[in-house]
Amino acid sequence: MSQQEQPKRPQEPIKYGDVFDVSGELADRPIAPEDARLMQAKETSVLGHTQKGGIAATMQSAATANRRGGFVEPGVATFLDPDRGVSVEQTDVPGARVTKESIGVQDVTIGQYVEPRPVATSATGMSVQSKITIGQALEATVHSAGKKPVDQSDAAAVQAAEVRASSNNVIAPGGVAASAQSAADYNAAIERDENKIKLVDVLAGAAGKLQEDKAVTKQDAEGVVSAELRNNPTMSTYPGGVADSVTAAARLNEKANI
């Protein structure tokens, strides 16, 4: 192989924004070896193992490439405080378990998983998993993105979800969707995020607030995603937000094939 044919080294490191749906300062930071090691350790501690093809595995692949490319040194971390560097949290909601993985002192969510869990027992004594409903998927959002101020994209996504949960495709006055729209309208006039209404304020107990509920389908998820995208100037969904949670629930329901 001639010198001209030698493979070129990457010109830039792999950054968080290249492999995860994040924005702001984190998106421009290279994934460092210590970041990956901390996430692997945290996944193992909380989940009992490292998720195959999951967040830690993705970070490790990127960190290895960055180290080989000479962009980072072994043992270097993007975030210097190991106690605030990474987190893996699991929360049980009706019919499912939400796992949220975050990084940085600002606790930026870089990934989430929604897994079904046994909620009933059959006559034979075997555990039976019910499908995840739209209401349960909305409640799961509280644990993955509850601190997010409600905006118009969230309100539109919640409205799309409530319409699909209803047999007559209507929005109930004073329901979850109406509350989400009121929150979005209120927040539009507020400057400081700490004074805005958050998703947790709107979606906590959502399953019990819906007049009707149903198992999430792929078509439901597509409708919710479309609504969130159409109402977001960046044409993207929020990591761990309403669309992400409903989509994750739909995928799990398809796999369950109940």
Side-chain angles (χ1 to χ4, degrees):
M1 181 180 293
S2 66
Q3 185 174 1
Q4 288 78 9
E5 293 174 325
Q6 291 292 332
K8 296 181 179 180
R9 293 178 61 181
Q11 298 300 307
E12 294 184 354
I14 301 174
K15 303 172 184 177
Y16 279 94
D18 297 328
V19 292
F20 298 118
D21 188 8
V22 296
S23 59
E25 181 184 3
L26 179 63
D28 295 326
R29 294 205 178 198
I31 300 177
E34 188 66 6
D35 298 353
R37 188 193 69 78
L38 289 171
M39 186 61 82
Q40 285 183 324
K42 188 66 71 172
E43 277 194 5
T44 301
S45 173
V46 175
L47 309 178
H49 62 281
T50 297
Q51 292 272 29
K52 183 178 181 180
I55 301 299
T58 300
M59 289 175 64
Q60 183 60 59
S61 297
T64 299
N66 285 343
R67 182 174 55 80
R68 289 175 177 171
F71 300 112
V72 294
E73 296 294 331
V76 170
T78 297
F79 298 96
L80 301 180
D81 185 350
D83 295 326
R84 301 288 298 279
V86 300
S87 67
V88 177
E89 302 174 356
Q90 285 191 317
T91 306
D92 288 340
V93 298
R97 173 169 293 155
V98 180
T99 301
K100 181 180 75 171
E101 302 194 34
S102 308
I103 189 166
V105 295
Q106 295 181 336
D107 197 32
V108 179
T109 299
I110 58 175
Q112 73 154 357
Y113 310 92
V114 182
E115 301 172 297
R117 63 188 182 92
V119 295
T121 303
S122 68
T124 61
M126 297 293 290
S127 294
V128 178
Q129 171 61 50
S130 299
K131 284 188 174 181
I132 301 172
T133 69
I134 289 174
Q136 290 168 348
L138 292 177
E139 288 187 6
T141 308
V142 171
H143 304 284
S144 56
K147 298 178 182 179
K148 179 186 184 297
V150 181
D151 61 22
Q152 186 54 45
S153 67
D154 301 315
V158 173
Q159 178 176 328
E162 184 172 310
V163 165
R164 283 158 179 76
S166 170
S167 59
N168 54 7
N169 296 324
V170 297
I171 298 298
V176 179
S179 297
Q181 186 60 60
S182 296
D185 292 341
Y186 173 84
N187 287 347
I190 304 299
E191 292 186 3
R192 300 175 66 88
D193 282 354
E194 56 264 36
N195 296 327
K196 294 182 178 181
I197 301 171
K198 310 299 192 297
L199 282 174
V200 63
D201 302 318
V202 173
L203 298 181
K209 297 176 182 177
L210 295 176
Q211 291 188 351
E212 297 180 72
D213 206 356
K214 64 183 282 289
V216 185
T217 66
K218 180 181 179 182
Q219 291 71 30
D220 296 329
E222 290 173 347
V224 173
V225 169
S226 177
E228 189 168 317
L229 288 174
R230 288 197 310 270
N231 289 273
N232 189 333
T234 65
M235 286 297 293
S236 62
T237 58
Y238 186 81
V242 176
D244 275 12
S245 295
V246 174
T247 299
R251 289 172 179 166
L252 288 168
N253 285 348
E254 282 194 334
K255 290 180 180 180
N257 194 27
I258 297 176

